[in-house]
Every structure is written in structure tokens, then in C-alpha cells.
Amino acid sequence: MSESLITQEPPASHGVASHCPYCALQCAMTLTPNSDASEPVTVTGREFPTNRGGLCRKGSSAAKVLGLGDRITQPMIRTAHGLEPTTWDHALTAITEAIRGTQREHGRDAVGIFGAGGLTNEKAYALGKFARAVLRTSRIDYNGRFCMSSAAAAGNRAFGLDRGLPFPLTDLDRAHAVLLIGSNVADTMPPFVQHLASAREHGGLFVIDLRESATADLTRSEERECGIHLAPTPGTDQELLLGLIHVVIAEGLYDAAYVASRTNGFARLKRTAQRYWPEHVQSLTGVPAAKIRAVARGLATAKDRGAFVLTGRGVEQHTNGSDTTSLAINLALLLGLPGREPGGYGTVTGQGNGQGGREHGQKCDQLPGYRSINDPQARAHVASVWGIDEQDIPGPGIDATQLLLSCGTDHGVRTLMIHGSNPVVSAPNATRVTRALADLDFLVVSDFVLSETAQLAHVILPVAQWAEEEGTMTNLEGRVIRRRRALPLPGAARDELAVLAELSTRLGSTMFFGTAEQMFEELTRASAGGRADYSGLSYDLLDQERACYWPYPAGSAGTPRLFRDSFPTADGRATLADVSPRAIAERIFDGAELTLITGRLLGHYQSGAQTRRVPELLASDPDGRVEINPETAHLYGVVEGQLLTLHNERGTVQARARLSRQIRRDTLFMPFHFAGSNSVNRLVSSATDPLSKMPEFKATRVWVSQEEQCVA
Ligand SMILES: Nc1nc2c(c(=O)[nH]1)N[C@H]1C(S)=C(S)[C@@H](COP(=O)(O)OP(=O)(O)OC[C@H]3O[C@@H](n4cnc5c(=O)[nH]c(N)nc54)[C@H](O)[C@@H]3O)O[C@H]1N2
Ligand SMILES: Nc1nc2c(c(=O)[nH]1)N[C@H]1C(S)=C(S)[C@@H](COP(=O)(O)OP(=O)(O)OC[C@H]3O[C@@H](n4cnc5c(=O)[nH]c(N)nc54)[C@H](O)[C@@H]3O)O[C@H]1N2
Ligand code: SF4
Ligand SMILES: [Mo]
């Protein structure tokens, strides 16, 4: 039986079959409405290939966000007395006037849209259409820029296509080796860990992480070694990967036939890698040469039986992140993994719809179907679906960091609409971003909680949450799944698609915005012939519970595995990118400086706007501690629980010290889930990767000072 005909989503025996509102694993859930207003549905894990019934503590407590006491269910408008409840009519009139006024005075591009990878495919598509066809502004980008952009750039450069995992996640169940680079799935996608069991059994779980993360811990067990953890000096992942590549080439471990017939660029890569013999790489990265050889050999031994190379934000979120990801892809290509079953390269996509969110046109340079906005044919196709002239589609806009920093400036964005993001907490250089947002003439935030960003808004629009809306999401494997409504909308909250429809009409546009199903149908047509082709998909098909992986052109049965025979490039071959190590922007040079790395805790999600409101999640992690090695702490005379001040040229942050041997002596770790003086993005710079425009979230130069008192 072909993979696509296997029933992947058994219907719920009772309740509504849906998926988690949070990360890209999109764990399957059954939602059973109940009478408890503070938790209006009961969530239970549902059998599904990615989570096998499992949920993490965020997913299992997600219903609490539906029933929050402080949930916004009424439009709010800024008055002399602050934000006050108002009617939809009043709120939408104010927005329409602001948009018209701004565009009249400052031009079309003075109105901007900031979208998100958590939005359904339908909403992501509708936002792109609203920006280009209704507002006719080029100023649209989204928080996925901060998430998947480096992996997307590297994937497109190598394969001509960017689908996070080009194979079903369950292929990992047959792995003999998995190399995880800068990914901490044990905390960020706990049910994912079951798919690492096979690699661990074969002693083949390899983890590259600066920290002894929960995932690095999986390389060890009481009984035996399950794999190897490599912990390079901050900023030296590229040298380490070139070291692995060196061994694979020098010891003749690569797949010569595959390299010859399916790739370009080997001679150049070989020349570059020559300089990175293991002992030299040890001196650059601090990783023992013997471990470098062992990992390279372990991967090579497993290559015919099932070897995988996976990257996460740890290596992608740097100013050289697209190059580091390219080196990870180079390693996978040398071993002949992409297109092999089981085997391959993948990036572990982050947000719930981080995959679909990067396909349907909310990126500043992109039209639906993962098409380039500069491509005349792509423009003509999308214009025909929208019923407009190709000339009327604006050109490329600017990336998320620049878009946010342009706010309130003379030639920048003056009216901004934000859907699904909390940049006051999550954007780099947050103090500057907050000031820029405060300088806007008009800020509209659609949300269901009073996030730190919503607090700056002129108008807040109360929208539906996951369990109150219909739609589709595309999970980390490129599988399209259904989000289903289990609850009515509370109070005056509205469906986000209906809000865009009404605004469009009020702005005098005749552009079509319909129900989720209608938007999906239009999206599939707009995507036809594009790289992410959904044209063979429909709600009917998705509701038959088939496994649907894009590309899914009309008449096909979808594509669970990509690249088996060729790559979607001009000559069908993949590119071994020519990358020479380039230093990250914030490498430390002096003993008084430390590298601050930022990332995630198991119990909180992103900017924390949702999970900080769930009592049990807040109780287990109430604030943004600084993890510090005990020896470093001793050097500064710091004890457990003491309030530390971290500072650099951009700002100051305070947090309690947590002494941890999982942290190197030259680094500190802080989660980015917290706000105010606990908000680590006040220290992060707005420097970005030249290709992907990804900020350097994972390495910030800081200095430490200690405070007398402890946080109350
Ligand atoms: N609990 C929880 N889960 C989540 C999320 C959440 O907010 N909370 N968010 C979701 C989203 S949107 C995303 S993008 C994913 C992210 O998922 P991950 O990529 O797994 O998460 P991070 O914690 O950002 O970073 C991963 C690891 O990179 C390591 N690292 C940092 N700097 C470097 C470096 O320079 N080199 C190397 N080799 N490693 C480094 C860190 O120590 C960390 O353990 O998680 C998703 N799941
Ligand atoms: N220092 C540091 N900063 C980082 C990162 C890091 O590792 N370190 N990671 C980056 C990454 S990978 C990501 S993905 C970003 C994420 O950071 P953000 O973009 O801030 O994402 P969230 O916190 O998920 O924000 C979602 C907001 O939208 C609301 N929301 C949720 N669903 C919907 C919806 O359907 N519609 C609307 N209108 N609103 C909705 C929520 O209530 C919340 O207020 O952070 C980035 N920032
Ligand atoms: S792992 Fe991700 S999708 Fe699964 S329950 Fe947790 S947050 Fe939700
Ligand atoms: Mo992300």
C-alpha cells in the first residue's frame, strides 16, 4: 500500500479531532467540550504518527488559555484614559481611517503587516493577499524570519526546495545514526524523543550543543553509551562541521557515486575541508579530535542503513546561520543521505505552522506556493487568481528586523498590524523595537491576551483561538493537517479571517475573503505549479484522514519523501555550498566577556504571552533565570538565587542565577520567555545574516555584575 493511502489520523471516538496550538510537532489531540469555563475543553492526546498519543505539559494545559479570566473578548481602543473596551464598528472605523490617512500622507508602504508562523495556512495566505492586493503595500514580513529563515535559505540553496523534513518523522524510527546540531528536542518537542530510540539503541545519537542540554543527556544512559555529545566553543560550529567533512573525505567514507551523479561543487568543498584536519579543529573548537573522528565514522557506517542530519535554532539563529546550515547539508550530501530511505537532512521546524507559514506569501519576497515575488510568471499566476493586474502586486519588501526598526521613522512604517507575534519580548534589540512600535502613528494588534505588544496598541482586536476556528496547519514534516473548531467564539471575539474580510470591504476593496475552507480552496489554486503545490488538496480529502504531504499537485497522491531521484534544481543536482568559516558577529575575545545564549524551557512557549498565564506552567518556571557554571559563578562571587545584572552596549537585564554544570564556563544561558527587566532580547543585537536576515539570537556578548538583594 502506498504511504499516502495509509490512514494516519483515526477519527476521535468522541469529541473533536484537532492538534496542539503550539509547536510544529502538532501533536494530535481530542477536544471534548465541558462546562468548566476556566478550561472549556478537555484535552487528551490522540494516536498519530508524530506524537503517538503523547503530549508535553504545554499541550496538555493548552485549554487553560481558552478560558483565561483576563482573556480579551471585546475590542479595545486607546483613549486619554488608556485602553478601553469599544464596539467592533468603532474599532474598525478607527483602523480604516488610520490606514487611509497613513497611505494618503506617506504612501502605500507606510502601512505594514507583521504575521506569524503560528497562523493557519488560510490566515497566512489571507494576510499576504490583504497586504499585496488590498493595501498594496510591500511591507509585510513575519516572525518566521526569526525562526526558520536560515534553514530555508540553506535548503533552497542546496535542494531548490525548503520542506523542513523531506521525509515522514517515523523514518527516524529506523535510524542507525542521527546527528542533531543545535536542537534540543527533549525540551522543545518531548514526544519527538521516542523517534530517537533506534539511533540510541545503535549507539548513534550524536548531539552538537554548547550546553549539556536535555537532548545531549540522551547520548548517555546508565547501562551504556547511546551516542556522543560534542560541545564546541561558542561560534565554532562551522569549523566543527568542516572537521567532520574533512574526516569523511580524507578517510574515503563519502558516497562517491552519489556525489558524482547527484551533486555539484565537490572539488571546491574538498579544497576548503582540507584545512580542517581533526587536531586543528580540536584547537579551534575545543572538541577532542578522537570524538570528531568517531562521529564522522559513526555517521558513515550508518549511511546505508539509516543516517540523518538534523539542524535546529542553535546553529541557525546566527549572523552566519545559513552558512552553518549549508555545511550541515554538505555533510549529509557527502554521505548520500538526501533522497535515501531511510535517511536524509532536515531542519526541525519550530512554530505550529512554521512550515505552512513560510509558503503562502507572508514573507517579504514571496507569493503563495513558495513563489518568488520577483518572478514575472509567478506574479502573473497569482494576479490571475486574485483577479488583478500583475503590475498591481508590489515588489519585495524588507525583512522583519528592518520592518520593525523602520516603525515610526520618516520613510518607514507608520501604521502597523500585528497578527500572532509579541515582538516587544521576542524581537532582537527589544528596547529599540519597543521604542519604534511606540513611535507608530497607529498600531493594531489582533490577539486574545493582553501581550506586552498589545499593551502598546491603539486598537486591539479580539480573535479566535485554535479550538474556536477551522483551518489547516502544515507540520514539521510538510504534512497538511486539519485544525477543527470545538467551541463557539467567546464574547465579542471574531474569527480572524472574518476580520480581514470586513476590513477589506471597509477599505473599498472587492477582493474575496471567505471562510477557512474557501480560503483554502483559493490557496490551492494560487499554489498550483509553485514549489509548495497544494493544488490536489481539499478539506474533503484532508477529512478522509489521509497523510497529505506537499508537493501535492492535482491528480497526484502527495509526496511523503522528496529527492529520491533528483532535486528540483535546473540540472536536477544538489549544490554543495562553497562555505568558508565566517565569524559570528558577537564572538568574545576577552576574559571579562561571556557569551550569552538564549533559548527555551520545557514549560514555556516563545514570548510566554500564553504560557505565563497558565498557573502550573508559571509555577514551575516563574522567571527568566540565568544559568551559569559554578566556577564562573565563583569567579564573580555569585551564589544560587542571587540577582545578576547582565549588560552590554544595548541594555541591561536582571535575573536570578541558577548554578549549572550544564553550562560551559565561557557562556551563560537565558530563556527568552519573560518580559520587562527579565527580557533577554534587550541585550540581543539587530545584526542579521546577509542571506537569510536571521538575527544573532544565539550569541550575545555580555558582562556580568552582581546585585546585593535577591528577587522577592
Ligand atoms: N518548550 C518549548 N518548545 C518549543 C518552543 C518554545 O518556545 N518552548 N518553541 C518552538 C519553536 S518556534 C522553535 S523555533 C523550536 C526551537 O527548538 P530548538 O532549536 O530545539 O530550541 P532552542 O532552545 O532555541 O535551541 C536549541 C539548542 O541550541 C543550543 N545552542 C545555542 N547556541 C548554539 C550554538 O552556537 N551552537 C550549537 N551547536 N548549539 C547552540 C542551545 O544550547 C539549545 O539547547 O522549539 C519549538 N518548541
Ligand atoms: N532571544 C531569543 N529570541 C527569540 C528566539 C530565541 O531563540 N531567542 N526565538 C525566535 C523564534 S524561533 C520565534 S518563532 C519567535 C516567536 O516569538 P513571537 O513571535 O513573539 O511568538 P509568540 O510568543 O508565539 O507570540 C504569539 C502571540 O500571538 C498570539 N497568538 C497566538 N495565536 C494567534 C492567532 O492565531 N492569531 C493571532 N492574531 N494571535 C495569536 C499569542 O497570544 C501571543 O501574544 O521568537 C524569536 N525570538
Ligand atoms: S510537543 Fe509541541 S505540539 Fe506536542 S504537545 Fe508539546 S507543544 Fe504541543
Ligand atoms: Mo521558532
Side-chain angles (χ1 to χ4, degrees), residues 376-516:
Q377 261 184 312
R379 296 172 62 87
H381 174 78
V382 174
S384 74
V385 174
W386 289 348
I388 60 174
D389 197 292
E390 186 247 303
Q391 306 291 323
D392 288 342
I393 297 182
I398 53 178
D399 66 86
T401 305
Q402 292 311 314
L403 192 152
L404 291 173
L405 291 179
S406 85
C407 286
T409 63
D410 282 350
H411 301 288
V413 166
R414 319 243 1 154
T415 289
L416 180 70
M417 294 171 59
I418 299 182
H419 295 257
S421 183
N422 185 12
V424 165
V425 177
S426 59
N429 211 341
T431 309
R432 257 189 82 190
V433 165
T434 306
R435 218 178 297 132
L437 293 175
D439 283 346
L440 282 164
D441 295 335
F442 208 80
L443 174 63
V444 186
V445 175
S446 293
D447 209 314
F448 36 78
V449 296
L450 189 61
S451 71
E452 288 70 17
T453 304
Q455 287 168 31
L456 300 178
H458 295 89
V459 169
I460 305 175
L461 299 178
V463 291
Q465 286 195 46
W466 56 291
E468 299 152 358
E469 67 178 5
E470 295 286 336
T472 59
M473 308 283 277
T474 304
N475 78 354
L476 77 173
E477 316 163 275
R479 178 200 305 240
V480 186
I481 56 180
R482 283 278 277 119
R483 168 178 280 193
R484 294 188 181 90
R485 179 183 293 141
L487 291 171
L489 284 159
R494 284 194 187 171
D495 190 278
E496 215 157 349
L497 286 172
V499 174
L500 290 175
E502 166 104 26
L503 267 177
S504 166
T505 307
R506 283 177 179 241
L507 287 163
S509 166
T510 53
M511 213 43 58
F512 177 75
F513 291 90
T515 62

Side-chain angles (χ1 to χ4, degrees), residues 199-200 202-207 218-220 224-229:
R200 295 181 73 214
H202 290 93
L205 179 64
F206 307 128
V207 175
L218 297 174
T219 60
R220 288 173 282 272
R224 65 198 157 82
E225 290 294 307
C226 299
I228 298 173
H229 171 211

Side-chain angles (χ1 to χ4, degrees), residues 123 143 421-422 426 446-447 496 598 600 606-607 681 698:
K123 295 198 289 191
N143 70 356
S421 183
N422 185 12
S426 59
S446 293
D447 209 314
E496 215 157 349
T598 67
R600 295 159 164 85
Q606 316 279 57
S607 71
N681 277 318
K698 291 294 193 268

Side-chain angles (χ1 to χ4, degrees), residues 634-654:
H634 182 74
L635 213 64
Y636 288 97
V638 170
V639 296
E640 176 76 22
Q642 188 169 352
L643 194 63
L644 280 185
T645 303
L646 309 184
H647 64 98
N648 64 15
E649 60 272 39
R650 287 171 293 274
T652 301
V653 156
Q654 294 192 310

Side-chain angles (χ1 to χ4, degrees), residues 172 176 178-180 183-209 211-230 310 662:
L172 289 180
H176 284 233
V178 174
L179 172 62
L180 280 167
S183 162
N184 181 22
V185 287
D187 279 336
T188 54
M189 295 186 182
F192 188 115
V193 169
Q194 41 191 328
H195 301 289
L196 299 175
S198 170
R200 295 181 73 214
E201 257 163 49
H202 290 93
L205 179 64
F206 307 128
V207 175
I208 304 181
D209 197 310
R211 296 187 304 152
E212 298 274 341
S213 65
T215 307
D217 269 351
L218 297 174
T219 60
R220 288 173 282 272
S221 83
E222 300 264 293
E223 304 91 61
R224 65 198 157 82
E225 290 294 307
C226 299
I228 298 173
H229 171 211
L230 308 179
L310 303 177
Q662 297 174 324

